[in-house]
Amino acid sequence: AKLTVRENLRFFGRSFGLSGETLKARIDELLREFRLTEKADFPAGSLSLGAQKDLSIACGFIHNPKIIFLDEATSGADIAQRRALWRRIVRFAARGAAVVVTTHFMEEAEYCDRFMIQDNGHLLAIGSPAEIRQTLHKEGADMDEIFMTIVEQARRKGENS
């Protein structure tokens, strides 16, 4: 909380082996990408919750990992923040990285190449949004409807077992 935004990015960059001009360039890129440039010298603890979340995700992206796990990354974010994060995730994935996201916002599944629905620890469905819709014969359904259909079917099966 006492480190500044820039110091946090530097710390995580160094932790992942970045240094010198490579690290400086990556920090500058992430400050721009996450709209943190004007807050670069502010203590991280003084940021809004949304900016703190952006900083934590930027720290995860600092070393361009091949895979990143984001657990409920958009929870508590407003619509604009959620869309901005998903644009970043899509750009990151377009560079060849795998991004695994957990979310309770089912409409976010539309941004995914593949998604999985789990209930009570059981895998209920996995595939692209189009594949899941086709399997259920619900081509026009939104993701909330898809989710509810899959979970309700699984729970009914469980009751009949």
Side-chain angles (χ1 to χ4, degrees):
K2 293 182 183 193
L3 293 178
T4 67
V5 169
R6 186 182 314 278
E7 289 168 341
N8 269 279
L9 289 167
R10 187 178 305 120
F11 172 81
F12 282 95
R14 286 180 177 160
S15 297
F16 287 108
L18 300 177
S19 62
E21 285 303 311
T22 302
L23 177 57
K24 183 183 179 319
R26 187 68 180 134
I27 289 171
D28 290 343
E29 178 184 352
L30 289 168
L31 288 172
R32 280 190 309 277
E33 171 109 10
F34 283 86
R35 297 183 180 174
L36 293 168
T37 303
E38 290 152 16
K39 299 171 181 136
D41 297 315
F42 288 28
S46 72
L47 301 176
S48 69
L49 289 178
Q52 286 180 12
K53 186 170 285 216
D54 285 345
L55 174 58
S56 69
I57 294 169
C59 288
F61 284 172
I62 189 91
H63 64 300
N64 286 310
K66 290 185 170 138
I67 185 168
I68 191 164
F69 293 84
L70 301 174
D71 184 24
E72 296 288 345
T74 61
S75 181
D78 64 32
I79 299 275
Q81 290 169 320
R82 286 172 53 202
R83 287 186 181 142
L85 176 59
W86 275 101
R87 283 192 297 274
R88 290 180 191 116
I89 290 170
V90 167
R91 283 194 300 270
F92 188 70
R95 291 183 245 163
V99 182
V100 178
V101 179
T102 63
T103 184
H104 60 276
F105 296 114
M106 288 309 302
E107 71 273 10
E108 292 183 355
E110 296 291 353
Y111 297 115
C112 300
D113 296 326
R114 291 172 43 98
F115 74 102
M116 177 181 79
I117 295 176
Q118 229 180 273
D119 183 44
N120 201 25
H122 298 285
L123 173 64
L124 303 182
I126 190 166
S128 72
E131 290 167 346
I132 302 295
R133 281 188 180 97
Q134 187 175 29
T135 300
L136 294 175
H137 306 291
K138 291 185 170 271
E139 279 75 11
D142 67 22
M143 279 299 148
D144 285 323
E145 182 180 344
I146 297 291
F147 174 79
M148 292 306 298
T149 299
I150 290 170
V151 170
E152 287 170 358
Q153 285 176 357
R155 288 180 180 176
R156 276 195 303 273
K157 270 186 191 175
E159 290 171 4
N160 296 328
S161 300

